[in-house]
Amino acid sequence: MAQYKNIEVDAELAGVIRHMDNVEEYRELLRNLQSVWDNLTMLGQLSGTGTDMSGTRHAFAELTGTLLNQLGHEELRTCRQDMSAKAQVAIDILVRNLFERTADIGFLACDADIRQFIGKVRECAGNVLLARDLAAARTQLRARFAEYAAKYTVYSDIVLTDTEGHILLRLDDATAPAQSHDALIADALATDAGYVETFRAIDFLPTQTQSLVYSCRVCDDAGGAIGVLSLVFRFDDEMQRIFDGLLTAADWAVILVVDADHRVIASSDRFHVPLGARLPCSDGPEVQRLRFAAREYLAMRCPSRGYQGYAGPGWCGLVMLPVEHAFAREAAAPLRALGDEVRSAIMSSPTLFSEQLRRIPEQADRIQRTLNRSVWNGNVRQSSSQRALNPAFSKILLWEISNTGDRTRDVFERSIANLHETVVSAILHDSRFAASLAIDILDRNLYERANDCRWWALTSVFREVLAAPVDEAGRQRVTEVLRYIHSLYTVYANLLVFDTQGVVVAESGSTVGGASWSGRAPAEDWVRRTLALDDSQAWAVSAFAPSALYGNAPTYIYGAALRAPSAGDEKAAVIGGVGIVFDSAPQLLAMLRDCLPRGADGAVRNGCFAAFIDADAQVIACTDERWRPGHRPPEAVEALALADDGSGVLRIDDQYFAVGVANSHGYREYGSGANAARTRVSALVFMPLCAVAVQSATASCTAPSIRGDASSDDTVEIATFRVGRNWFGLRTEKVIEAVDAAGLTGVPGAGETMAGYLMHDGVPIAVFDIASMLHDDEALPSAPDDSTRQVLVLRRDDDTRIGILADALGDIPEVSTARLRPIPAMLAGGNVLGESVLGGSGDGDEALLLVLGVERIVNRLAGGSTPPAPAIPLPRREAAAGR
């Protein structure tokens, strides 16, 4: 523990609590109230009222420390979740992108045209006669590289070298050196892996800044290495896109990617945290405090979770947040827009907060009940005793004590309520953030699918085989290439090549079972549209609908046209097509699961689920098995899914959920044109808030407003209290005091009105529950909480006293006796408990109050079906004292 402005706080909060504006605001309010309690405690001891506030003062002081610690922990937890989400998303999206690059380099390095070009270079060595043919081949292959790069705009350059590092061809050769001596050439030739991943300054790139390059050796038909192909990834461009998607203009966070040595390799603000800076962060999963450039930060570091077995380059996402801005929060406007019923249910939810935090309002209520009872007893004693040194002053003091207690409890209630709003608003933000992540992952994934089919449609083997009558040898060649591609790209259920009639020439083999499609024509619209495409940049996609190619389950199928091998002509005649069947069931679920909000332990938060819903309000994937692909969600969900990006609270069955919504906006050049309508999707992320509250039949139990008549000559004081949901009164001379019912001991078999016995001033007294005698059965709460009930100790006469249970204590007004209207004793057979009715003061704005008679209560108990408890004589010392 540590001290912060005379309050003990947990060590974790010691260095940051001063920056939490919400916590500091309530600390100041409670500090001021504590000063008031100090004064009231002293005045109470001097007043002669017998009201000692030291216990209440101490209890509120202890609760203040508990409250501030809990508020601080909740603020820190909310900050941690936001930082963790950004750091995790930054690295995971990057790793997903790089996974696709590892497959691309493996595919392109086996391209027949590249292998043939290297062969021609070898043939032309020293042969001037073949130089012209080589120049033409170089032009043709560079055009081919340009087509690849046009489809995959994530690459800035494609570089081909021989085994000695001589650069044979590159996409961008404006400043190209003739030869590379970089170690990646030797690494690519020596590795047993499918690729080499290099991030550093590379000698064949024009700048000496770090570049991310994927390399793979090119082999001849015999398997011997004849060259190395390298793809240069647009790393800075991609990171900027990721950062822009995670940060807003008002965000103070800096998002970074750091290597294993904690050196910055990507920064969302290079002026703030520059590239190459080494950060003193540790490898733990918790929020860290670190100093950098003479400033203090909170930092959260997250390693990649990997994707499809690819762990990434060993980098981590890191978020740094200046500590003085870490706990600034937007107003909780979304929650305030909800209906009262929804807000009430959410605010009382036991699932959103720790048990210790939930106990704070209960502890404050318990302290306030004790305080109210103390004030109530003080007023009772003043009415029955002349010992007060200054009755008027004492009444004012008691009123001020009660008022200060109400103000103190109000601060506790407001602080908890504001925290509720902050937390729920953070949950709404988290759900919206997770939905944005899900749709971003989907858009990026489908971008890759649209590019894959167009890349593979450039494959020379496919075009050569379909340009002539297809024989078995040709069919086998195409099949082998499809199977090799499928081994690199594991997100597909099947890869197909078909002719101009739509008949499948070859396939990689379906991973979802079923018969072979070779020799058969899928009667699906996407085939027709693929064969009608205008050029090699165009592609087609099916609607998300059941397909025989996917076991009659719904999926997306992408297609690109195969064109006759006419050099440099992307509008050559269509001779067939490539179809790729997306393995949507596991892949879409994996995307959704990856975006679900997680706790500090990395596990998905309990009850969260996510869904993709298309433009026709049809579910295409959902992590909750209740909503299966092809089905329609409930109307409320459907309406939210078709709305703009945002968040809201929905009731689903008997639970309220925070729901974030994000609509597809595309990625890079993907997401426009006719195909976009078929893949327009909304992502929805559902985070449980609470169960729908069962509305209590008990109406409000507001205390009656009774004006006093202190100026009247003939007055009586009436002590008010509540039983069930109705308020009653007793003459104060018949009331000894109110005590806690905690020590009540039951008497088995004594009847429903006999509550038990309670020790009072060393003497056991009988305590009764008179609720049923008041004919208030329907108005009673269904399950009274005994821990909140109190016992009113009443005197029948100088020798007898009993106790009755009350649910709450009210004011003790001094009223004119003229306002009391007697009730005849024999009314209703002598069973009426009320001795009089207290009327209003004449202006008509006051409620009537039934004043009970202690004698009538005792007589009713003695004459009723419940056996009366034995009368217990009042000890003489009490009688002598005038009580």
Side-chain angles (χ1 to χ4, degrees):
M1 301 292 285
Q3 284 286 325
Y4 171 68
K5 296 186 177 180
N6 296 322
I7 295 174
E8 280 198 347
V9 297
D10 294 342
E12 184 183 25
L13 301 175
V16 297
I17 194 169
R18 67 182 182 274
H19 299 291
M20 299 176 179
D21 292 342
N22 288 337
V23 179
E24 183 64 16
E25 175 187 353
Y26 289 112
R27 186 204 62 78
E28 187 66 21
L29 286 172
L30 289 168
R31 186 187 68 82
N32 293 336
L33 284 169
Q34 197 67 29
S35 297
V36 176
W37 280 118
D38 291 342
N39 294 330
L40 292 175
T41 299
M42 180 183 67
L43 292 173
Q45 293 170 346
L46 298 174
S47 67
T49 62
T51 306
D52 184 4
M53 293 296 101
S54 57
T56 300
R57 172 186 171 279
H58 182 68
F60 272 132
E62 284 190 341
L63 195 57
T64 293
T66 302
L67 173 69
L68 295 181
N69 272 283
Q70 290 301 308
L71 292 178
H73 281 299
E74 290 296 329
E75 288 275 351
L76 191 58
R77 183 176 66 87
T78 300
C79 180
R80 178 191 296 118
Q81 289 177 350
D82 183 57
M83 294 173 66
S84 176
K86 288 175 179 173
Q88 194 69 65
V89 167
I91 191 62
D92 283 350
I93 285 186
L94 176 62
V95 167
R96 278 177 168 269
N97 196 319
L98 300 187
F99 164 77
E100 301 284 351
R101 312 292 68 88
T102 65
D104 289 348
I105 187 62
F107 162 72
L108 196 55
C110 293
D111 187 87
D113 291 349
I114 294 175
R115 294 157 65 186
Q116 290 171 8
F117 174 76
I118 296 176
K120 285 186 178 181
V121 171
R122 288 184 165 187
E123 291 176 7
C124 291
N127 192 330
V128 178
L129 297 177
L130 297 177
R132 184 177 298 176
D133 290 342
L134 181 59
R138 179 176 283 108
T139 300
Q140 183 178 350
L141 187 58
R142 181 176 286 113
R144 186 76 174 281
F145 281 3
E147 275 215 74
Y148 278 123
K151 293 168 177 59
Y152 266 110
T153 58
V154 297
Y155 297 118
S156 61
D157 203 355
I158 303 174
V159 181
L160 179 64
T161 71
D162 63 17
T163 56
E164 301 299 323
H166 296 97
I167 295 178
L168 305 181
L169 180 67
R170 66 185 306 168
L171 183 61
D172 180 12
D173 59 358
T175 57
Q179 184 176 6
S180 170
H181 300 283
D182 200 282
L184 72 80
I185 304 296
D187 291 343
L189 293 171
T191 184
D192 292 330
Y195 60 90
V196 169
E197 191 173 47
T198 307
F199 183 75
R200 52 177 169 74
I202 296 171
D203 69 0
F204 60 75
L205 294 178
T207 63
Q208 291 304 306
T209 59
Q210 298 183 105
S211 300
L212 182 58
V213 176
Y214 288 85
S215 306
C216 183
R217 62 177 170 269
V218 180
C219 298
D220 58 21
D221 292 339
I226 57 175
V228 173
L229 181 71
S230 297
L231 298 177
V232 182
F233 182 61
R234 296 182 185 272
F235 180 72
D236 290 343
D237 176 71
E238 177 60 20
M239 290 312 307
Q240 192 59 53
R241 289 175 184 269
I242 292 174
F243 294 148
D244 289 346
L246 294 175
L247 295 172
T248 64
D251 208 323
W252 283 91
V254 181
I255 306 179
L256 311 163
V257 174
V258 297
D259 63 17
D261 293 326
H262 301 165
R263 292 195 182 279
V264 177
I265 59 176
S267 173
S268 63
D269 188 343
R270 297 186 183 185
F271 294 100
H272 196 163
V273 183
L275 299 183
R278 192 175 189 280
L279 301 173
C281 55
S282 63
D283 292 334
E286 294 299 319
V287 171
Q288 307 166 39
R289 289 169 58 197
L290 60 85
R291 293 177 62 185
F292 176 75
R295 196 173 190 181
E296 187 178 22
Y297 293 85
L298 295 183
M300 173 65 79
R301 175 180 173 275
C302 295
S304 169
R305 292 194 291 251
Y307 180 63
Q308 298 279 331
Y310 170 68
W315 302 337
C316 292
L318 177 68
V319 169
M320 290 172 56
L321 192 55
V323 68
E324 66 269 26
H325 299 292
F327 305 101
R329 295 284 179 268
E330 296 179 359
L335 189 60
R336 294 174 187 150
L338 302 176
D340 291 340
E341 179 181 340
V342 179
R343 287 187 61 190
S344 176
I346 292 172
M347 294 306 182
S348 60
S349 168
T351 60
L352 297 180
F353 307 96
S354 67
E355 182 180 355
Q356 190 172 11
L357 183 63
R358 296 198 308 272
R359 284 203 305 263
I360 289 177
E362 298 173 5
Q363 291 174 277
D365 282 342
R366 190 179 307 115
I367 296 170
Q368 185 64 27
R369 284 197 303 273
T370 302
L371 176 65
N372 288 345
R373 184 168 63 244
S374 180
V375 172
W376 199 83
N377 287 337
N379 279 299
V380 166
R381 291 189 189 102
Q382 286 213 84
S383 300
S384 58
S385 171
Q386 302 301 317
R387 290 180 298 166
L389 300 178
N390 186 333
F393 170 77
S394 298
K395 280 187 172 292
I396 293 173
L397 175 62
L398 289 170
W399 179 88
E400 184 60 34
I401 290 171
S402 179
N403 183 52
T404 303
D406 287 337
R407 286 162 56 200
T408 305
R409 184 178 60 175
D410 179 65
V411 172
F412 283 101
E413 290 177 349
R414 282 193 294 117
S415 66
I416 299 297
N418 287 346
L419 179 62
H420 284 183
E421 291 211 346
T422 298
V423 170
V424 174
S425 294
I427 292 174
L428 288 168
H429 172 271
D430 288 349
S431 66
R432 185 169 63 250
F433 180 85
S436 298
L437 170 62
I439 205 66
D440 188 41
I441 290 174
L442 179 66
D443 283 343
R444 287 167 174 269
N445 198 294
L446 298 186
Y447 162 83
E448 303 285 350
R449 311 294 69 88
N451 292 343
D452 286 349
C453 66
R454 294 181 295 160
W455 268 53
W456 302 337
L458 298 177
T459 305
S460 298
V461 171
F462 298 165
R463 300 165 72 184
E464 291 171 3
V465 170
L466 266 71
V470 180
D471 56 18
E472 187 56 33
R475 192 187 311 276
Q476 187 60 35
R477 288 178 64 199
V478 174
T479 299
E480 289 176 359
V481 174
L482 289 175
R483 287 176 178 172
Y484 174 72
I485 294 173
H486 202 171
S487 71
L488 297 172
Y489 296 82
T490 56
V491 298
Y492 296 109
N494 204 354
L495 307 178
L496 313 166
V497 169
F498 50 89
D499 62 19
T500 54
Q501 304 302 311
V503 176
V504 175
V505 173
E507 62 180 334
S508 64
S510 178
T511 60
V512 295
S516 170
W517 277 89
S518 293
R520 296 193 289 162
E524 298 184 6
D525 179 64
W526 67 270
V527 177
R528 177 191 59 78
R529 288 187 287 106
T530 297
L531 294 171
L533 292 173
D534 292 334
D535 55 50
S536 63
Q537 283 293 99
W539 50 277
V541 64
S542 70
F544 189 82
S547 171
L549 291 165
Y550 194 57
N552 293 317
T555 190
Y556 290 118
I557 302 177
Y558 286 78
L562 285 169
R563 299 183 181 275
S566 175
D569 186 3
E570 66 175 17
K571 290 184 177 295
V574 173
I575 56 175
V578 172
I580 56 178
V581 182
F582 186 45
D583 195 5
S584 63
Q587 295 301 323
L588 294 177
L589 281 177
M591 295 179 210
L592 291 172
R593 288 177 181 135
D594 282 351
C595 77
L596 287 174
R598 297 174 184 269
D601 60 354
V604 173
R605 295 187 206 171
N606 190 39
C608 294
F609 68 98
F612 287 131
I613 297 177
D614 67 15
D616 296 323
Q618 174 185 245
V619 175
I620 66 173
C622 183
T623 59
D624 190 315
E625 293 185 355
R626 290 176 296 179
W627 301 355
R628 296 189 175 277
H631 294 180
R632 298 184 75 90
E635 288 185 8
V637 176
E638 180 179 323
L640 190 61
L642 300 178
D644 294 332
D645 295 5
S647 61
V649 175
L650 288 184
R651 175 176 176 174
I652 301 175
D653 298 330
D654 293 325
Q655 191 151 15
Y656 288 115
F657 286 85
V659 187
V661 183
N663 297 300
S664 176
H665 298 294
Y667 171 68
R668 292 184 181 268
E669 65 277 5
Y670 175 81
S672 60
N675 287 314
R678 298 185 183 90
T679 54
R680 184 168 294 123
V681 174
S682 296
L684 290 85
V685 173
F686 300 78
M687 299 178 65
L689 292 173
C690 62
V692 175
V694 177
Q695 297 300 312
S696 172
T698 304
S700 174
C701 304
T702 305
S705 173
I706 300 175
R707 294 182 180 177
D709 304 301
S711 60
S712 176
D713 293 334
D714 189 9
T715 62
V716 62
E717 291 191 339
I718 303 296
T720 63
F721 61 96
R722 179 170 62 82
V723 176
R725 60 173 235 202
N726 289 330
W727 288 85
F728 303 95
L730 284 164
R731 291 176 180 264
T732 54
E733 66 265 21
K734 293 296 184 179
V735 180
I736 298 175
E737 66 175 337
V739 297
D740 196 342
L744 191 63
T745 301
V747 180
E752 64 177 7
T753 58
M754 180 64 185
Y757 279 88
L758 183 72
M759 291 298 294
H760 181 255
D761 284 347
V763 178
I765 63 170
V767 179
F768 300 90
D769 187 348
I770 65 172
S772 60
M773 297 166 57
L774 295 171
H775 304 290
D776 196 27
D777 296 341
E778 293 183 0
L780 290 173
S782 57
D785 183 1
D786 290 338
S787 67
T788 67
R789 307 186 84 182
Q790 313 193 54
V791 176
L792 306 186
V793 182
L794 312 178
R795 68 162 52 87
R796 178 185 183 183
D797 50 43
D798 287 344
D799 296 322
T800 308
R801 53 184 163 164
I802 64 170
I804 63 173
L805 287 174
D807 294 308
L809 303 176
D811 294 332
I812 303 181
E814 184 180 356
V815 300
S816 171
T817 55
R819 292 168 59 184
L820 294 173
R821 302 291 186 267
I823 298 175
M826 296 308 297
L827 189 68
N831 288 325
V832 176
L833 300 185
E835 65 174 19
S836 61
V837 174
L838 176 61
S841 57
D843 55 9
D845 63 345
E846 294 179 88
L848 296 177
L849 182 75
L850 180 65
V851 179
L852 305 182
V854 175
E855 187 71 27
R856 295 188 180 189
I857 293 173
V858 173
N859 290 338
R860 175 72 177 276
L861 290 169
S865 58
T866 302
I872 298 177
L874 191 70
R876 285 298 163 192
R877 64 179 184 278
E878 298 292 344
R883 295 185 66 183

